[in-house]
Amino acid sequence: MKNRKKQKKLIKIPFILQLPCEILDPIINLLPLNSALHLRLTCHSLNTNVETFYKKFKMDLCAENLSPNQLHFISRIHLQKITFKRVAKPLPRNPAPFSDSDKRQRCNSAGSVDDFDEEWRERCNLEHLYYTGPSQYFQVGGIQVRSLSAPFALATSQAAAAGAEEARTKSPPHSHPNYAGGNKNIYNFSSLQTYLLELGSENIFDYVLI
Amino acid sequence: MALVRVISSDGAAFLVSQRLAKRSGKLKTEIETFRKSSDNSEAQPEIRIVTIRAEILRLVLQWLQQHQNDPVLPANQNEQDGRGDAEMGQSQWDRDFLAPMDLGIVMELILAANHLEVKGLLDITCKLVESKITGRTVDEIRTAFKLKSDFKGNEEEQTRLENRWCVEN
């Protein structure tokens, strides 16, 4: 009698919510970022599951001695998922990555620096709300990720979070308290991998994310 | 040919060759345990699967039959680079096999494949579920999986705000 009641109750629960984590995780893993976020929004339980999946994955990443294969995997798929809250910003519809050299080039070619700065600031605010200073953008799985200058990257995660908050309030370029100039040029997967490999294990996110 | 009797939770018995049954990790272990504990080497093992009903067990055995000559994949195959069989492509037979199933059956099949440790079947069924989520809106996913929003207070709005930058693009 008790079993029958239990079974009836189980039938009412949607099947996807009956899937244990070891099955749900690989499914989430197959999803593109947008779809994972949509899944997160469907109900409280799946929201928790998707969050847990990311947390678990982050813990996996913190394991030492990541192999080149794992690094490739991170840069190919998971980095885009993990970074979404903190640093990464999706590419605009017409991707127009820009860097400090763009600014220099345009300043050299025509127009006054002031005019250009104004246009530059607008563009930063419109397209890159998280922009806090000179940095370069590279693409990981369709999402732009900013490379950070070394001193900036050394900031604690707390300071980094504060930086992101500040950037969100559209502070002008160069105003970030941790910014100390210099750039780490990461421009493709292979340099990203080398960079991550040099960093070792648990600092990956503090470096790549803000 | 050595046979094994596999009995579903609702009492239906399936007589299958041990060679075929051993393609399931779980059945293989059960057969080996039976062999070790049995004095009679000719005795026919009988395995009761209390969590899988006949309709689903029949589908699993049908899939195993079709794939009996495929190489057996270890459970952790491709875990390191995150790609399973699912990404490597399904056969037309697999697609035809899954096509008429509703999501409820697919979900039961996933649980069965997981319980019986049939990795290939688990991969293609997970991939099918993934395809039912990818590219759909939140409401469409809710409808497909019969989900109801049970967020409390402004939880949903908060999550939506967190996702906004990504969803907008």
Side-chain angles (χ1 to χ4, degrees), chain A residues 14-17 19-20 22-23 27 30-35 37-38 40-44 46-47 67 73 76 84-85 88 90-91, chain B residues 80-82 87 104 107-108 110-111 114 130 134-136 138 141-142 145-151 155-156 159 162-163 165-166 169:
Chain A
F15 269 110
I16 196 166
L17 301 183
L19 295 180
E22 71 260 25
I23 297 180
I27 294 175
L30 287 170
L31 293 172
L33 179 64
N34 282 14
S35 299
L37 297 180
H38 283 155
R40 206 181 153 207
L41 275 166
T42 53
C43 67
H44 185 267
L46 285 177
N47 187 0
S67 71
F73 180 46
R76 186 170 61 84
F84 72 91
K85 266 188 182 172
L91 289 169
Chain B
Q80 194 180 16
D81 66 0
E87 273 183 59
M107 294 289 184
E108 280 191 84
I110 289 178
L111 291 171
N114 186 50
E130 178 269 322
T134 301
R136 294 198 177 190
V138 177
I141 298 172
R142 278 185 189 146
F145 292 93
K146 299 185 173 72
L147 294 165
K148 281 181 187 160
S149 171
D150 56 354
F151 287 105
E155 274 177 348
E156 184 173 354
T159 312
E162 279 175 23
N163 292 353
W165 68 266
C166 182
N169 278 264

Short mmCIF file of all heavy atoms in Angstrom, two decimals, chain A residues 14-17 19-20 22-23 27 30-35 37-38 40-44 46-47 67 73 76 84-85 88 90-91, chain B residues 80-82 87 104 107-108 110-111 114 130 134-136 138 141-142 145-151 155-156 159 162-163 165-166 169:
data_model
loop_
_atom_site.label_atom_id
_atom_site.label_comp_id
_atom_site.label_asym_id
_atom_site.label_seq_id
_atom_site.Cartn_x
_atom_site.Cartn_y
_atom_site.Cartn_z
N PRO A 14 7.92 15.04 -12.95
CA PRO A 14 8.42 14.95 -14.33
C PRO A 14 9.70 14.11 -14.39
O PRO A 14 10.53 14.19 -13.49
CB PRO A 14 8.71 16.41 -14.69
CG PRO A 14 7.87 17.20 -13.77
CD PRO A 14 7.75 16.41 -12.51
N PHE A 15 9.82 13.33 -15.46
CA PHE A 15 10.93 12.38 -15.55
C PHE A 15 12.29 13.04 -15.43
O PHE A 15 13.20 12.50 -14.81
CB PHE A 15 10.85 11.59 -16.85
CG PHE A 15 10.07 10.33 -16.69
CD1 PHE A 15 8.84 10.17 -17.27
CD2 PHE A 15 10.59 9.28 -15.93
CE1 PHE A 15 8.12 8.99 -17.11
CE2 PHE A 15 9.88 8.11 -15.76
CZ PHE A 15 8.64 7.96 -16.35
N ILE A 16 12.41 14.22 -16.04
CA ILE A 16 13.74 14.85 -16.04
C ILE A 16 14.21 15.15 -14.61
O ILE A 16 15.38 15.15 -14.32
CB ILE A 16 13.77 16.13 -16.93
CG1 ILE A 16 15.22 16.51 -17.20
CG2 ILE A 16 12.97 17.27 -16.32
CD1 ILE A 16 15.41 17.52 -18.31
N LEU A 17 13.24 15.36 -13.73
CA LEU A 17 13.61 15.63 -12.34
C LEU A 17 13.92 14.35 -11.56
O LEU A 17 14.40 14.39 -10.44
CB LEU A 17 12.49 16.41 -11.64
CG LEU A 17 12.12 17.75 -12.25
CD1 LEU A 17 11.06 18.45 -11.43
CD2 LEU A 17 13.34 18.64 -12.38
N LEU A 19 15.92 12.14 -12.86
CA LEU A 19 17.25 11.69 -13.29
C LEU A 19 18.29 12.03 -12.22
O LEU A 19 18.35 13.15 -11.75
CB LEU A 19 17.66 12.36 -14.61
CG LEU A 19 16.84 12.02 -15.84
CD1 LEU A 19 17.39 12.76 -17.05
CD2 LEU A 19 16.85 10.52 -16.11
N PRO A 20 19.11 11.05 -11.86
CA PRO A 20 20.16 11.36 -10.88
C PRO A 20 21.23 12.25 -11.51
O PRO A 20 21.35 12.32 -12.74
CB PRO A 20 20.72 9.98 -10.53
CG PRO A 20 20.37 9.10 -11.67
CD PRO A 20 19.13 9.65 -12.29
N GLU A 22 24.34 11.92 -11.91
CA GLU A 22 25.34 11.31 -12.80
C GLU A 22 24.81 11.19 -14.23
O GLU A 22 25.57 10.98 -15.16
CB GLU A 22 25.87 9.98 -12.27
CG GLU A 22 24.90 8.83 -12.31
CD GLU A 22 24.26 8.57 -10.95
OE1 GLU A 22 24.19 9.51 -10.13
OE2 GLU A 22 23.82 7.43 -10.71
N ILE A 23 23.49 11.30 -14.39
CA ILE A 23 22.94 11.27 -15.75
C ILE A 23 22.67 12.69 -16.24
O ILE A 23 22.90 13.03 -17.39
CB ILE A 23 21.63 10.46 -15.79
CG1 ILE A 23 21.93 9.01 -15.42
CG2 ILE A 23 20.99 10.53 -17.17
CD1 ILE A 23 20.73 8.12 -15.42
N ILE A 27 24.21 15.39 -19.62
CA ILE A 27 23.26 16.06 -20.52
C ILE A 27 23.53 17.57 -20.51
O ILE A 27 23.60 18.21 -21.55
CB ILE A 27 21.80 15.76 -20.11
CG1 ILE A 27 21.49 14.27 -20.30
CG2 ILE A 27 20.81 16.62 -20.92
CD1 ILE A 27 20.13 13.83 -19.83
N LEU A 30 26.44 18.54 -22.52
CA LEU A 30 26.28 18.57 -23.98
C LEU A 30 25.62 19.87 -24.47
O LEU A 30 25.66 20.19 -25.65
CB LEU A 30 25.38 17.40 -24.42
CG LEU A 30 25.98 15.98 -24.38
CD1 LEU A 30 24.89 14.95 -24.60
CD2 LEU A 30 27.08 15.81 -25.41
N LEU A 31 25.01 20.60 -23.53
CA LEU A 31 24.22 21.77 -23.93
C LEU A 31 25.09 22.98 -24.25
O LEU A 31 26.07 23.24 -23.54
CB LEU A 31 23.26 22.17 -22.81
CG LEU A 31 22.14 21.21 -22.48
CD1 LEU A 31 21.42 21.67 -21.22
CD2 LEU A 31 21.16 21.11 -23.63
N PRO A 32 24.71 23.75 -25.27
CA PRO A 32 25.37 25.04 -25.44
C PRO A 32 24.99 25.97 -24.28
O PRO A 32 23.97 25.72 -23.60
CB PRO A 32 24.82 25.56 -26.76
CG PRO A 32 23.69 24.70 -27.12
CD PRO A 32 23.71 23.48 -26.26
N LEU A 33 25.79 26.97 -24.07
CA LEU A 33 25.59 27.83 -22.90
C LEU A 33 24.17 28.38 -22.78
O LEU A 33 23.55 28.30 -21.72
CB LEU A 33 26.59 28.99 -22.95
CG LEU A 33 26.50 29.98 -21.81
CD1 LEU A 33 26.84 29.32 -20.50
CD2 LEU A 33 27.44 31.15 -22.06
N ASN A 34 23.65 28.93 -23.86
CA ASN A 34 22.32 29.54 -23.78
C ASN A 34 21.26 28.53 -23.33
O ASN A 34 20.40 28.86 -22.52
CB ASN A 34 21.90 30.08 -25.15
CG ASN A 34 22.58 31.39 -25.44
OD1 ASN A 34 23.53 31.75 -24.77
ND2 ASN A 34 22.11 32.10 -26.45
N SER A 35 21.37 27.33 -23.85
CA SER A 35 20.38 26.32 -23.50
C SER A 35 20.51 25.90 -22.04
O SER A 35 19.51 25.63 -21.37
CB SER A 35 20.51 25.10 -24.40
OG SER A 35 20.29 25.50 -25.74
N LEU A 37 21.43 27.81 -19.72
CA LEU A 37 20.83 28.91 -18.95
C LEU A 37 19.30 28.85 -19.02
O LEU A 37 18.61 29.13 -18.05
CB LEU A 37 21.33 30.25 -19.46
CG LEU A 37 22.84 30.48 -19.31
CD1 LEU A 37 23.24 31.84 -19.85
CD2 LEU A 37 23.27 30.37 -17.86
N HIS A 38 18.79 28.46 -20.17
CA HIS A 38 17.34 28.30 -20.29
C HIS A 38 16.84 27.19 -19.37
O HIS A 38 15.82 27.33 -18.71
CB HIS A 38 16.95 27.97 -21.75
CG HIS A 38 17.00 29.18 -22.63
ND1 HIS A 38 17.19 29.10 -23.99
CD2 HIS A 38 16.89 30.49 -22.34
CE1 HIS A 38 17.19 30.32 -24.49
NE2 HIS A 38 17.02 31.18 -23.52
N ARG A 40 18.17 26.29 -16.70
CA ARG A 40 18.28 26.82 -15.34
C ARG A 40 17.01 27.59 -14.94
O ARG A 40 16.66 27.66 -13.78
CB ARG A 40 19.48 27.77 -15.37
CG ARG A 40 20.17 27.97 -14.09
CD ARG A 40 21.30 28.94 -14.27
NE ARG A 40 21.54 29.61 -13.01
CZ ARG A 40 22.05 30.81 -12.89
NH1 ARG A 40 22.38 31.50 -13.94
NH2 ARG A 40 22.23 31.33 -11.71
N LEU A 41 16.39 28.17 -15.94
CA LEU A 41 15.23 29.02 -15.66
C LEU A 41 13.90 28.26 -15.62
O LEU A 41 12.87 28.84 -15.32
CB LEU A 41 15.12 30.11 -16.75
CG LEU A 41 15.95 31.36 -16.51
CD1 LEU A 41 16.03 32.18 -17.78
CD2 LEU A 41 15.39 32.20 -15.38
N THR A 42 13.93 26.98 -15.94
CA THR A 42 12.65 26.27 -16.04
C THR A 42 12.03 26.00 -14.68
O THR A 42 10.83 26.16 -14.50
CB THR A 42 12.80 24.93 -16.80
OG1 THR A 42 13.84 24.19 -16.17
CG2 THR A 42 13.11 25.14 -18.26
N CYS A 43 12.82 25.55 -13.74
CA CYS A 43 12.27 25.34 -12.40
C CYS A 43 13.40 25.34 -11.37
O CYS A 43 14.58 25.24 -11.73
CB CYS A 43 11.47 24.04 -12.32
SG CYS A 43 12.45 22.58 -12.51
N HIS A 44 13.01 25.43 -10.12
CA HIS A 44 13.99 25.59 -9.05
C HIS A 44 14.97 24.42 -9.00
O HIS A 44 16.18 24.60 -8.84
CB HIS A 44 13.24 25.71 -7.72
CG HIS A 44 14.14 26.01 -6.57
ND1 HIS A 44 14.68 25.01 -5.79
CD2 HIS A 44 14.62 27.17 -6.10
CE1 HIS A 44 15.46 25.56 -4.88
NE2 HIS A 44 15.44 26.87 -5.04
N LEU A 46 15.96 22.30 -11.34
CA LEU A 46 16.96 22.28 -12.43
C LEU A 46 17.95 23.43 -12.29
O LEU A 46 19.11 23.30 -12.66
CB LEU A 46 16.27 22.29 -13.79
CG LEU A 46 15.63 20.96 -14.17
CD1 LEU A 46 14.90 21.06 -15.49
CD2 LEU A 46 16.67 19.85 -14.26
N ASN A 47 17.45 24.54 -11.77
CA ASN A 47 18.34 25.67 -11.50
C ASN A 47 19.46 25.20 -10.58
O ASN A 47 20.65 25.41 -10.85
CB ASN A 47 17.53 26.80 -10.84
CG ASN A 47 18.35 28.06 -10.68
OD1 ASN A 47 19.51 28.10 -11.05
ND2 ASN A 47 17.74 29.09 -10.13
N SER A 67 46.14 18.05 -17.54
CA SER A 67 46.84 17.60 -18.74
C SER A 67 46.55 18.57 -19.90
O SER A 67 45.55 19.30 -19.85
CB SER A 67 46.36 16.21 -19.11
OG SER A 67 45.05 16.30 -19.59
N PHE A 73 40.23 21.06 -23.45
CA PHE A 73 38.79 20.90 -23.19
C PHE A 73 38.22 22.14 -22.50
O PHE A 73 37.18 22.66 -22.86
CB PHE A 73 38.62 19.65 -22.33
CG PHE A 73 37.20 19.35 -21.99
CD1 PHE A 73 36.22 19.39 -22.95
CD2 PHE A 73 36.85 18.98 -20.70
CE1 PHE A 73 34.91 19.09 -22.64
CE2 PHE A 73 35.55 18.67 -20.39
CZ PHE A 73 34.57 18.74 -21.36
N ARG A 76 38.06 24.90 -24.85
CA ARG A 76 37.11 24.67 -25.95
C ARG A 76 35.66 24.81 -25.48
O ARG A 76 34.84 25.39 -26.15
CB ARG A 76 37.32 23.26 -26.52
CG ARG A 76 36.51 22.95 -27.75
CD ARG A 76 36.96 21.66 -28.38
NE ARG A 76 36.79 20.53 -27.50
CZ ARG A 76 35.64 19.86 -27.39
NH1 ARG A 76 34.60 20.22 -28.08
NH2 ARG A 76 35.56 18.84 -26.57
N PHE A 84 30.81 32.84 -17.58
CA PHE A 84 29.72 33.70 -18.02
C PHE A 84 29.29 34.73 -17.00
O PHE A 84 28.88 35.80 -17.35
CB PHE A 84 28.52 32.88 -18.50
CG PHE A 84 27.74 32.17 -17.43
CD1 PHE A 84 26.67 32.79 -16.82
CD2 PHE A 84 28.05 30.88 -17.07
CE1 PHE A 84 25.93 32.14 -15.87
CE2 PHE A 84 27.31 30.22 -16.12
CZ PHE A 84 26.25 30.86 -15.51
N LYS A 85 29.46 34.42 -15.73
CA LYS A 85 28.96 35.35 -14.73
C LYS A 85 29.92 36.50 -14.49
O LYS A 85 29.55 37.54 -14.01
CB LYS A 85 28.77 34.62 -13.41
CG LYS A 85 27.38 34.11 -13.20
CD LYS A 85 27.29 33.59 -11.80
CE LYS A 85 25.91 33.02 -11.55
NZ LYS A 85 25.88 32.35 -10.26
N ALA A 88 33.24 37.03 -19.06
CA ALA A 88 32.97 36.90 -20.48
C ALA A 88 31.74 37.70 -20.89
O ALA A 88 30.79 37.81 -20.16
CB ALA A 88 32.75 35.44 -20.82
N PRO A 90 29.30 38.04 -24.39
CA PRO A 90 29.14 37.44 -25.71
C PRO A 90 29.54 38.41 -26.81
O PRO A 90 29.46 39.63 -26.63
CB PRO A 90 27.65 37.12 -25.79
CG PRO A 90 27.03 37.97 -24.75
CD PRO A 90 28.05 38.23 -23.70
N LEU A 91 29.93 37.85 -27.91
CA LEU A 91 30.30 38.70 -29.03
C LEU A 91 29.08 39.48 -29.51
O LEU A 91 27.98 38.94 -29.54
CB LEU A 91 30.79 37.82 -30.19
CG LEU A 91 32.14 37.17 -29.99
CD1 LEU A 91 32.36 36.13 -31.08
CD2 LEU A 91 33.24 38.19 -30.03
N GLN B 80 37.33 12.15 -20.35
CA GLN B 80 38.34 13.18 -20.20
C GLN B 80 38.12 14.34 -21.16
O GLN B 80 38.22 15.50 -20.78
CB GLN B 80 39.71 12.58 -20.42
CG GLN B 80 40.80 13.54 -19.95
CD GLN B 80 42.17 12.98 -20.17
OE1 GLN B 80 42.36 12.03 -20.90
NE2 GLN B 80 43.13 13.58 -19.52
N ASP B 81 37.82 14.02 -22.39
CA ASP B 81 37.63 15.14 -23.31
C ASP B 81 36.15 15.49 -23.48
O ASP B 81 35.79 16.31 -24.31
CB ASP B 81 38.28 14.87 -24.67
CG ASP B 81 37.62 13.74 -25.42
OD1 ASP B 81 36.65 13.19 -24.88
OD2 ASP B 81 38.07 13.43 -26.53
N GLY B 82 35.32 14.89 -22.65
CA GLY B 82 33.92 15.31 -22.60
C GLY B 82 33.08 14.85 -23.77
O GLY B 82 31.94 15.27 -23.90
N GLU B 87 28.32 12.26 -29.47
CA GLU B 87 28.84 13.29 -30.35
C GLU B 87 29.49 12.70 -31.59
O GLU B 87 29.77 13.38 -32.54
CB GLU B 87 29.87 14.14 -29.60
CG GLU B 87 29.20 15.27 -28.86
CD GLU B 87 30.21 16.13 -28.18
OE1 GLU B 87 31.08 16.68 -28.87
OE2 GLU B 87 30.13 16.26 -26.96
N GLY B 104 8.88 10.35 -21.99
CA GLY B 104 8.76 9.53 -20.79
C GLY B 104 9.48 8.20 -20.95
O GLY B 104 10.23 7.76 -20.07
N MET B 107 13.25 8.72 -21.04
CA MET B 107 13.79 8.91 -19.70
C MET B 107 13.93 7.56 -18.97
O MET B 107 14.92 7.32 -18.30
CB MET B 107 12.89 9.84 -18.88
CG MET B 107 12.85 11.24 -19.41
SD MET B 107 14.42 12.07 -19.11
CE MET B 107 14.03 13.69 -19.71
N GLU B 108 12.91 6.71 -19.12
CA GLU B 108 12.99 5.38 -18.48
C GLU B 108 14.13 4.56 -19.08
O GLU B 108 14.81 3.81 -18.39
CB GLU B 108 11.67 4.62 -18.66
CG GLU B 108 10.59 5.05 -17.68
CD GLU B 108 9.40 4.11 -17.71
OE1 GLU B 108 9.43 3.07 -17.04
OE2 GLU B 108 8.43 4.43 -18.44
N ILE B 110 16.84 5.79 -20.32
CA ILE B 110 18.10 6.34 -19.79
C ILE B 110 18.40 5.69 -18.43
O ILE B 110 19.52 5.23 -18.18
CB ILE B 110 18.00 7.88 -19.63
CG1 ILE B 110 18.00 8.55 -21.00
CG2 ILE B 110 19.15 8.41 -18.78
CD1 ILE B 110 17.86 10.05 -20.95
N LEU B 111 17.38 5.67 -17.59
CA LEU B 111 17.59 5.08 -16.26
C LEU B 111 17.96 3.60 -16.37
O LEU B 111 18.84 3.11 -15.65
CB LEU B 111 16.32 5.25 -15.41
CG LEU B 111 15.98 6.69 -14.99
CD1 LEU B 111 14.61 6.76 -14.35
CD2 LEU B 111 17.02 7.23 -14.02
N ASN B 114 21.48 3.20 -17.68
CA ASN B 114 22.41 3.54 -16.60
C ASN B 114 22.51 2.38 -15.61
O ASN B 114 23.60 1.97 -15.23
CB ASN B 114 21.93 4.81 -15.90
CG ASN B 114 22.92 5.30 -14.86
OD1 ASN B 114 24.10 5.43 -15.15
ND2 ASN B 114 22.45 5.54 -13.66
N GLU B 130 19.23 16.02 -24.83
CA GLU B 130 19.93 17.29 -25.09
C GLU B 130 19.32 18.00 -26.29
O GLU B 130 19.08 19.20 -26.27
CB GLU B 130 21.42 16.99 -25.31
CG GLU B 130 22.28 18.17 -25.65
CD GLU B 130 22.41 18.42 -27.14
OE1 GLU B 130 22.49 17.46 -27.91
OE2 GLU B 130 22.40 19.59 -27.53
N THR B 134 18.17 21.94 -26.47
CA THR B 134 18.93 22.92 -27.24
C THR B 134 18.04 23.71 -28.19
O THR B 134 17.21 23.14 -28.91
CB THR B 134 20.04 22.21 -28.05
OG1 THR B 134 20.88 21.54 -27.13
CG2 THR B 134 20.88 23.20 -28.85
N GLY B 135 18.22 25.01 -28.16
CA GLY B 135 17.51 25.89 -29.09
C GLY B 135 16.06 26.19 -28.70
O GLY B 135 15.36 26.88 -29.42
N ARG B 136 15.63 25.65 -27.57
CA ARG B 136 14.24 25.91 -27.17
C ARG B 136 14.19 27.02 -26.12
O ARG B 136 15.15 27.21 -25.36
CB ARG B 136 13.61 24.65 -26.58
CG ARG B 136 13.44 23.55 -27.61
CD ARG B 136 12.45 22.54 -27.13
NE ARG B 136 12.21 21.52 -28.15
CZ ARG B 136 11.26 20.62 -28.08
NH1 ARG B 136 10.44 20.60 -27.05
NH2 ARG B 136 11.10 19.73 -29.02
N VAL B 138 12.55 28.84 -22.66
CA VAL B 138 12.25 28.29 -21.34
C VAL B 138 10.86 27.65 -21.34
O VAL B 138 10.68 26.52 -20.84
CB VAL B 138 12.33 29.41 -20.27
CG1 VAL B 138 11.95 28.89 -18.91
CG2 VAL B 138 13.73 30.01 -20.24
N ILE B 141 10.78 24.35 -23.17
CA ILE B 141 11.40 23.25 -22.39
C ILE B 141 10.41 22.79 -21.32
O ILE B 141 10.24 21.59 -21.10
CB ILE B 141 12.73 23.70 -21.74
CG1 ILE B 141 13.75 24.10 -22.81
CG2 ILE B 141 13.31 22.59 -20.87
CD1 ILE B 141 15.02 24.74 -22.27
N ARG B 142 9.76 23.76 -20.69
CA ARG B 142 8.79 23.39 -19.64
C ARG B 142 7.70 22.51 -20.23
O ARG B 142 7.32 21.50 -19.63
CB ARG B 142 8.17 24.66 -19.05
CG ARG B 142 9.04 25.30 -17.99
CD ARG B 142 8.32 26.47 -17.36
NE ARG B 142 9.23 27.22 -16.49
CZ ARG B 142 9.17 28.54 -16.34
NH1 ARG B 142 8.26 29.25 -16.96
NH2 ARG B 142 10.01 29.15 -15.52
N PHE B 145 8.98 18.92 -21.16
CA PHE B 145 9.29 18.03 -20.04
C PHE B 145 8.23 18.07 -18.94
O PHE B 145 8.46 17.54 -17.84
CB PHE B 145 10.67 18.39 -19.46
CG PHE B 145 11.80 18.07 -20.39
CD1 PHE B 145 12.30 19.02 -21.27
CD2 PHE B 145 12.36 16.80 -20.42
CE1 PHE B 145 13.33 18.72 -22.14
CE2 PHE B 145 13.39 16.49 -21.29
CZ PHE B 145 13.87 17.45 -22.15
N LYS B 146 7.12 18.72 -19.24
CA LYS B 146 6.01 18.82 -18.27
C LYS B 146 6.48 19.42 -16.93
O LYS B 146 6.17 18.90 -15.85
CB LYS B 146 5.37 17.45 -18.04
CG LYS B 146 4.76 16.83 -19.30
CD LYS B 146 4.06 15.54 -18.95
CE LYS B 146 3.30 14.97 -20.12
NZ LYS B 146 4.14 14.41 -21.18
N LEU B 147 7.24 20.48 -17.04
CA LEU B 147 7.77 21.13 -15.84
C LEU B 147 6.92 22.33 -15.47
O LEU B 147 6.36 22.99 -16.34
CB LEU B 147 9.21 21.61 -16.08
CG LEU B 147 10.27 20.55 -16.31
CD1 LEU B 147 11.54 21.17 -16.89
CD2 LEU B 147 10.59 19.82 -15.02
N LYS B 148 6.84 22.58 -14.18
CA LYS B 148 6.14 23.77 -13.72
C LYS B 148 7.13 24.66 -12.99
O LYS B 148 7.95 24.17 -12.22
CB LYS B 148 5.00 23.38 -12.78
CG LYS B 148 3.77 22.89 -13.51
CD LYS B 148 2.68 22.54 -12.53
CE LYS B 148 1.51 21.89 -13.28
NZ LYS B 148 0.64 21.13 -12.39
N SER B 149 7.00 25.95 -13.23
CA SER B 149 7.89 26.88 -12.54
C SER B 149 7.54 26.86 -11.05
O SER B 149 6.38 27.04 -10.67
CB SER B 149 7.71 28.29 -13.10
OG SER B 149 8.40 29.19 -12.29
N ASP B 150 8.52 26.59 -10.22
CA ASP B 150 8.26 26.58 -8.78
C ASP B 150 9.21 27.51 -8.04
O ASP B 150 9.56 27.29 -6.90
CB ASP B 150 8.38 25.14 -8.24
CG ASP B 150 9.74 24.53 -8.54
OD1 ASP B 150 10.53 25.16 -9.26
OD2 ASP B 150 10.01 23.42 -8.07
N PHE B 151 9.64 28.55 -8.77
CA PHE B 151 10.52 29.52 -8.12
C PHE B 151 9.73 30.29 -7.07
O PHE B 151 8.55 30.56 -7.24
CB PHE B 151 11.07 30.51 -9.16
CG PHE B 151 12.12 29.89 -10.05
CD1 PHE B 151 11.82 29.55 -11.35
CD2 PHE B 151 13.40 29.64 -9.57
CE1 PHE B 151 12.78 28.98 -12.18
CE2 PHE B 151 14.36 29.08 -10.39
CZ PHE B 151 14.06 28.75 -11.69
N GLU B 155 13.14 34.77 -7.22
CA GLU B 155 14.24 33.90 -7.63
C GLU B 155 14.38 33.83 -9.15
O GLU B 155 15.48 33.94 -9.69
CB GLU B 155 14.00 32.47 -7.13
CG GLU B 155 14.49 32.21 -5.72
CD GLU B 155 14.13 30.80 -5.27
OE1 GLU B 155 13.33 30.12 -5.93
OE2 GLU B 155 14.66 30.40 -4.24
N GLU B 156 13.23 33.66 -9.81
CA GLU B 156 13.27 33.51 -11.26
C GLU B 156 13.79 34.80 -11.91
O GLU B 156 14.62 34.77 -12.81
CB GLU B 156 11.88 33.17 -11.80
CG GLU B 156 11.90 32.90 -13.29
CD GLU B 156 10.58 32.40 -13.85
OE1 GLU B 156 9.66 32.15 -13.06
OE2 GLU B 156 10.49 32.29 -15.08
N THR B 159 17.51 35.09 -11.46
CA THR B 159 18.26 34.22 -12.37
C THR B 159 18.23 34.80 -13.78
O THR B 159 19.22 34.77 -14.51
CB THR B 159 17.65 32.80 -12.37
OG1 THR B 159 17.46 32.39 -11.04
CG2 THR B 159 18.54 31.81 -13.08
N GLU B 162 20.67 37.52 -14.05
CA GLU B 162 22.04 37.00 -14.14
C GLU B 162 22.36 36.50 -15.54
O GLU B 162 23.48 36.59 -16.01
CB GLU B 162 22.20 35.82 -13.16
CG GLU B 162 22.47 36.24 -11.74
CD GLU B 162 22.49 35.02 -10.81
OE1 GLU B 162 22.73 33.90 -11.30
OE2 GLU B 162 22.24 35.22 -9.62
N ASN B 163 21.33 35.95 -16.18
CA ASN B 163 21.53 35.37 -17.52
C ASN B 163 21.42 36.41 -18.62
O ASN B 163 21.72 36.10 -19.76
CB ASN B 163 20.47 34.31 -17.81
CG ASN B 163 20.63 33.09 -16.94
OD1 ASN B 163 21.60 32.97 -16.21
ND2 ASN B 163 19.68 32.19 -17.01
N TRP B 165 22.77 39.05 -19.96
CA TRP B 165 23.79 39.42 -20.94
C TRP B 165 23.96 38.36 -22.00
O TRP B 165 24.24 38.64 -23.15
CB TRP B 165 25.10 39.71 -20.26
CG TRP B 165 25.74 38.50 -19.65
CD1 TRP B 165 25.61 38.07 -18.37
CD2 TRP B 165 26.57 37.55 -20.30
NE1 TRP B 165 26.30 36.91 -18.19
CE2 TRP B 165 26.91 36.57 -19.36
CE3 TRP B 165 27.07 37.43 -21.59
CZ2 TRP B 165 27.71 35.49 -19.65
CZ3 TRP B 165 27.87 36.34 -21.88
CH2 TRP B 165 28.19 35.39 -20.91
N CYS B 166 23.76 37.12 -21.59
CA CYS B 166 23.96 36.03 -22.54
C CYS B 166 22.73 35.82 -23.40
O CYS B 166 22.80 35.67 -24.61
CB CYS B 166 24.27 34.76 -21.77
SG CYS B 166 24.59 33.40 -22.86
N ASN B 169 21.94 38.14 -26.38
CA ASN B 169 22.66 37.95 -27.63
C ASN B 169 22.21 36.70 -28.33
O ASN B 169 22.83 36.08 -29.06
CB ASN B 169 24.16 37.94 -27.36
CG ASN B 169 24.68 39.34 -27.27
OD1 ASN B 169 25.18 39.90 -28.23
ND2 ASN B 169 24.51 39.94 -26.11
#
